[in-house]
Amino acid sequence: MKIRNALFAVLAAASLSAAAQDLSVGLSTPVTTMDPHFHNLTPNNSIAKHVFETLVHQDDQQAMRPGLAESWKALDDTTWEIKLRKNVRWHDGSPFTADDVLATLKRIPNVPNSPASFAIYTRPISDAKAKDAHTVILTTRAPHPLLPNDLATIHIISAKMAGMGTPDYNSGKAVNGTGPYKFGEYVSGDRVVLVANDKYWGQKPAFQKIRFRMITNSAARVAALLAGDVQMIEAVPTADIAKLKTDARVTLASTVSNRVIYLHMDSGRERNSPFVTDAAGKPMEANPLRDPRVRKAISMMIDRNAIVSRIMEGEAKPAGQFLPETFHGTSKRLAPEKYDPDGAKKLLAAAGYPNGFGITLHTPNNRYINDEKIAQAVAQFLTRGGIPTKVDAMPSAVFFSRGSKLEFSFLLAGWGAGTGENSSPLRSLVASFDPKLGNGAANRGRFSDAGVDAMVHTALTTIDDTKRGLMLAAAADKAIGELTGVIPLHYEVSTWGVKKGLAYKARVDQYTLAHEVTVAKK
Amino acid sequence: MTVYVLRRLAQTLLVLFVTSGLVFGGLYLVGDPVEILVNPQADQEERARTAAALGLDRPALEQYWIFLKGAFTGDLGKSFVFGRSALEVIIERMPATLELAFLAMVMSVGLGIPLGLYAGLRPHGLAARSIMAGSILGFSLPTFWVGLLLIMVFAVQLGWLPSTGRGPTTEFLGVQVSILTWEGLRYALLPALNLALFKLSLIIRLTRAQVREQSLLDYIRFARAKGLKRARVIGVHLLKNILIPLITVIGLELGSVIAFAVVTETIFAWPGMGKLVIDSIFQLDRPVVVAYLLVTVFMFIMINLMVDLLYSALDPRVRIAEVKS
Amino acid sequence: MTALLEVRDLVTEFDGREGRLRAVDGVSFSLERGEILGLVGESGSGKSVTGFSIMGLVDAPGRIAGGSVKFDGMELVGMPDGDLRRLRGKRIAMIFQDPMMTLNPVLSIETQMLETVLAHDAVPREEARRRAIEALGLVGIASPAERLAQYPHQFSGGMRQRVAIAIALLHRPDLIIADEPTTALDVTVQGQILYEMQRLVRESGAALVWITHDLAVVAGLADRVAVMYAGRIVEQGSTTEVLDAPLHPYARGLLDSVPAANATGGRLRQIPGMTPSLAHLPAGCAFRDRCGHADDACGTVPPITLKASRQVRCHHPL
Amino acid sequence: MSKPMLEFRDVTKRFEKRLDVIERFALRLGAAVSGHVVHAVDRVSFAVNEGEVVGLVGESGCGKSTLGRLACGLHEPTAGGVFYKGEPVNGKPVRAVQMIFQDPFSSLNPRMRVEDIVGEAPRVHGLVPAAEVPDYVAQLLRRVGLDPSYRRRYPHQFSGGQRARIGIARALAVKPDFLVCDEAVAALDVSIQAQVLNLFMDLRESLGLTYLFISHDLGVVSHLSNRVVVMYLGRVVESAPTAELFAKPNHPYTQALLAEVPRLDRKNRNFAPIKGEIPSPLAPPPGCHFHPRCPHAMPRCAQEAPPLREVAPGRLSACHLDA
Amino acid sequence: MSAVLPAAEPAPQTPFRRFLEEFFESKLATLGFAVLAAIVLVALLAPLVAPQNPYDLGKLDLLDARLEPGTKGGAGMTYVLGTDGQGRDMLSAILYGLRVSLYVGVVSGIIALTLGALTGVLAAYAGGRIEQFVMRVVDIQLGFPAILVALILLAVLGKGVDKIIIALVCVQWAYYARTARSAALVERGKEYMEAARGLGLSGTRIVLRHLLPNALPPLIVVGTVQVAHAIALEATLSFLGLGLPTTEPSLGLLIANGYEYLMSGKYWISFYPGVALLVTILSINLVGDQLRDVLNPRLAK
């Protein structure tokens, strides 16, 4: 044993000296393209952020920081002025100008075959003009306070490459960014290799070469880290965290993320919700889930701390709303629901269900951390609390299709606020389903409350951050605190593992950004 | 011979048609790709745009008809996820799977036949019994479980071999191959072993059964009565008779190795077709799944055809016209 | 001059499910050069096992448990395997019953013949080929050079048996053991094979052990006949003597059972009962349960009694 | 006595493999494909009269077994007809005509008890009331010389000779009056063969059976039958009363056959073989099938098949020499 | 001829008895059979012998999650083999899991065998175009790799014991059909089949009473191997995230669930179900092996 440890030390030292030059990273989901505008997907965006940059940069807490834009401000309700950074050069050596921004905005809605377009972020923009080579004026159709958040997702490409198609990006031909790393190699399903951009305008990259390897099986990913094949992995499985914490070869970095795991209930149907039965399992006409008291009772039956400690192994934080309090627009009043099975029983009885009722909880099994396990734990609590609950887990491909067709009565899902603001979950999850406004797109419980709708709508057109924040918080108070439109369970904690000697500042948006890895000083 | 090949080709077309229909219909029933492809933040408008962009807003039969028209000209559609020709995506991943399958088959044949031969010739010895017990074990262990154990032992604990992934590739006959260099081979050893284990057991058992059956036949005794050396009796007379039926099995198993690579590739992060198809199923990337199945089914049929042709070439008794007539 | 083949008290046993069985139990006979011995018996009588025992081709679970087989003065029982192999195919050859099974189906006739030549004589391949062609011609195969390249399935049963005989004759062996080589063949083909065998043996002066169940074949071919029953030779002597006036009741019964020996349409004289399995042999004379002459004396194994050139194993010879 | 019980009228049986769509397509592309036809039985006519034992002799591939199966309705003739007491038996088994098979091992269902093997058909056909089946089976077993107390055993527990008897009992169970014996004793040892042949003769007497006795063994046939029919490559070449045939065979093939039969009384003989081999029934020679091997062949023999004609009273032969 | 012949052996012996005798000649096979019998018994009696009903979510206690073997839980129950991530008693889970795995394997095996045997035997009996057609379908089915067929089917059908049985039947029937056909072809050529026809027995009777029983032995051999295969395949599918409902885990699902804990040293969650699966498949294979040897006519002494 001793000898082996010694051997490991030697090996570790040997690989560390190499790591000063190169870095291998184990990714949990495959990167499907090198085109930054083709498929709006976390792993793709994550890679794109190494090569390309956005006008607005979000830091590890999703706070807005200058990126390719030095500053931005709203000139009036619908006009924004963006000042661009000077002395930025593309990888091919040409200078970065306003034309590149305009070309980018033009390309985004027109990427052929895009399965998930970035057009949702450019759609509010009705007009873009270059005031000078380094100033852009953007006009929005309506007041759009979230423009900077949207701009933080849009990777700027050089105008020269705007005419290139996705295949040219995948081959690397068109990959010409301003970021700290340049394109090296992309092998679909296997790896992405990036090399340092020595002429980067910001802090010089720490590694000469970064090799991203797609290792989707989490146990194998951990094994690769332990075996020294990679120096960094993302999405460390919760099962291994306790062990890795004590492992001398590895350092962990973790933070509460912007993703909440929540339960959605069919509060839309008046009767005959598909998976609601009476306590004996016979069909039941009434839909108890329409009653806020029942929803509240369900929330009270769940011991969030137990789920966090037993299922998530401590790698989660009990949630009382959609986003942790540090995020903009969150409520200060919404604490995680207290575990109170007795209170829940009383409430259930008061709502007219003293004997409870039966229900099935649907959950994806490959989407969120421990998703189907959480569902089982919830079912445990509900069953014990008088609501016999079955669990039906399925691949997310099936789950979301059926969920959106409202085939479920009770479902577990998660929401990560890409914008880093409470408006995102409020608008998608609890605002009434309304295709015209783009509201309630993920409202699979069809919760609907006119008061909440009004507050969300106003907030979304209020440019003033403070005012908007207060309004969003009030909407959350009503939707969750008062009506229990959804039941938040916990916020996921994202964890990265790096080889001892390296450090990573964990990000709330779950992006793995290798250029933010630093070599720790001893 | 010509008839035989023609017949098989006609059948192939039919099979491919049926396959495409079944898979297309099946995946249509599974779910709506848009739900899984779009960013969760997307609103209803974006969802509609995606559906239109991918042609998913048309009726199922029309979608299938469009597919068929394309398939007739060799276009199996564009991957939803990659935005590229599905066939291209698959062909790009094919060498990785094929080299893994090839290595696994080499391992299982290279070890399996000698071990099976030994166990069949001395069926009552301790070594033979151990080989057979081992083969049952190899039969019984679930692939995914063995895979992780291999990683734990050889990569994490002993540190001899890389844990996952595919090694550096070199170009060979215009194809990227990794197993031609020692460094590349190191990456392939564990997954290939994982994949080979089941087939190895199978080949050991088949060889042994064949040896036991064939050694009772008169021609073996006659060969010995001619005064031939034992090595020749076993190495030529017995082995050639055993190999002929084994080739059929090996051919069929090559197909199943390619299919079972799905599991191994998942565990070892091997960038092959199997991993691709699993991901594609979970992402409802229908063009890729359909194309994958068409390609593999076509491959299987071709492998079987080759095996039959090889069989008839090797076995003077079989003339191809008589095969399965 | 010593006999070419001298078998003494040969015992061959098999270990099976029902215990140890004696397939060959104290068989003795001898054979001069040029002599043809017909070894006759019904199924399970041990006649084939006797042949295999001489060749040293008895495999586990069988083994030679005792006795001696002297070939040209050399003791074959217990001879090292390598030495035995050098004799097999060279000086002692064997022909098998089923011509469909004896040739390796996947090797060409050429391969199978040449390897036999080369296994014993270090000659160039061309010479080996020449010998193979010659041997094929000898057994009456037309255009032997062309047929050499063919595979067994391209030959009819009779032709295959000719090829097997040609292989057996390649080295001009001193002794040929033929195990029912014509049983599986049609009458006209059998006639052809018998003709060839008789001619070849006469020409080469080889000794021949012809194992068969068919007394009529032996009658035409053999100089001497040995009749086996349940692992033992019950009677042997010159063909004429044994077939015309058998001494052992079993041999008598066997001859009487042949339809041609009976009046047409009349009842056949039959041996009552059935051949006992080796696992359930009666003690003493194995035939006594079926024998009309049996008495208490038959409870012991009868000794071999000699009557002139004839041997019989019976307490009450006819 | 002279009433024909079973009659073959110009019976032909061909086993054909025809071309299918793909093969015809390939043929058009110029591939060498062909269907093939096996002429197993070629225009055979003869009759078996009541009470007779007719021996059917020939070598492998001569069509004698096919003819036996045609008689039992196991095959359907391609042309011509098979008649039992004037009724056609074309591919439809007739209960009164039963077959005794060659292989005592494969001819009994290994998974059935003797009582079921023997008793199944009479029970299914209602020949015997269900309650009486056990007695009926016992009676049959006794008749063929088996102890009825073994009726609950399975075939593997019997020796070859005993199995042959079970097979006979099974055939007798449906009360046939005509038995087709297809090499029924070929697989048995000489001493056992004698027992079974005796049984056949006993049964013939006690049950008044008529036999078509198919065998390659001339000794057995000569012993048992009244009349012998000789076949060569699907055709009848000679038919004659047994004694006459053996005394003075007419057809060259019959002559050759008889000359080749080993006999106990011919010791230390010089074998003089017939030339050539039996041709394949896939491609029989033209004209008289025997002409390539016939010592008396004339040019005509290669062109024209000789018809079967009466060469003496009760004797038929198909040879141009007789013309 | 009136003398009655004695029979070969004194004791009446059914083919089944003889088969049993030969089967139990091998010590290894006997051991395998004993283990398998014990496993089946335990699986059948699971509700009676298991300390907990692991499928009743109300009986589980999340606070007892991932306890080591031998630990006493909050409710005073000792978890002999530890607990899984839901606080499920592993021993009970394994007993119930065995039940599910065996059920899935055996039921799918029986259905596939029945289906395959009937089609195969009928194809062999009917011959001609029917046979051609059936065998082409079988070829096509066998051309598809089992795991992919199952994957796609399950993706379409969804999860559930019934669904996985359907998938496994679809995957397996062709093996049985092919085996049944070749066995039936051999039997069809035997004389007892002709005899049955000659006796005027009906086609149905010949197929069911004569052909099928004799074509069965090789099917049983294939069956044992296939049951083991089915269990392993179900485990693999569960590992890939398709298969059985997560609240009623089979052995394979237990292994898959515990798989992620292997690295972290909580071996028991995956290890013990793995051992149970291994022993089950091993014993089935041992029995199957011996069956193959005993039932193989070509190796018969």
Side-chain angles (χ1 to χ4, degrees), chain C residues 138-140 162 165 182 188-203 210 221, chain D residues 260 269-274:
Chain C
L138 216 56
V139 295
R162 285 172 197 253
I165 293 169
T182 59
T188 53
V189 181
Q190 165 171 290
Q192 294 168 340
I193 297 286
L194 285 171
Y195 164 76
E196 302 288 357
M197 279 307 284
Q198 193 177 47
R199 184 173 62 82
L200 293 167
V201 171
R202 278 186 193 155
E203 280 169 11
W210 189 274
L221 185 71
Chain D
E260 292 303 327
R269 58 186 276 226
N270 286 320
F271 293 97
I274 181 172

Side-chain angles (χ1 to χ4, degrees), chain A residues 425-443:
Chain A
L426 280 168
R427 179 185 180 211
S428 294
L429 300 181
V430 290
S432 302
F433 182 80
D434 185 345
K436 256 189 225 125
L437 291 174
N439 282 352
N443 185 349

Side-chain angles (χ1 to χ4, degrees), chain A residues 269-410:
Chain A
R269 287 187 186 81
E270 302 244 356
R271 52 174 55 86
N272 292 331
S273 192
F275 286 95
V276 172
T277 64
D278 67 10
K282 301 213 174 58
M284 185 165 85
E285 202 190 307
N287 178 8
L289 299 172
R290 268 184 80 81
D291 188 332
R293 285 172 296 179
V294 173
R295 301 200 292 258
K296 176 86 173 168
I298 290 176
S299 183
M300 285 159 73
M301 281 176 198
I302 299 165
D303 183 350
R304 290 169 177 74
N305 288 319
I307 291 179
V308 165
S309 70
R310 300 301 141 128
I311 303 288
M312 305 303 289
E313 310 218 15
E315 298 297 308
K317 195 173 163 234
Q321 53 182 322
F322 291 124
L323 276 169
E325 283 170 30
T326 51
F327 283 83
H328 189 244
T330 52
S331 162
K332 305 283 172 257
R333 301 215 309 257
L334 289 173
E337 188 84 55
K338 286 238 164 45
Y339 177 48
D340 182 7
D342 298 330
K345 270 220 167 82
K346 280 180 206 135
L347 204 53
L348 209 55
Y353 300 96
N355 297 321
F357 54 89
I359 200 160
T360 303
L361 174 58
H362 287 86
T363 173
N365 60 9
N366 57 357
R367 181 68 187 87
Y368 310 108
I369 302 173
N370 299 335
D371 39 16
E372 67 173 355
K373 296 203 180 95
I374 302 165
Q376 285 188 68
V378 168
Q380 262 193 44
F381 288 120
L382 297 196
T383 304
R384 238 176 288 149
I387 303 178
T389 306
K390 292 194 200 99
V391 174
D392 192 356
M394 58 196 71
S396 49
V398 181
F399 175 83
F400 288 112
S401 299
R402 293 183 61 192
S404 292
K405 283 188 227 147
L406 306 183
E407 287 181 23
F408 304 143
S409 293
F410 189 28

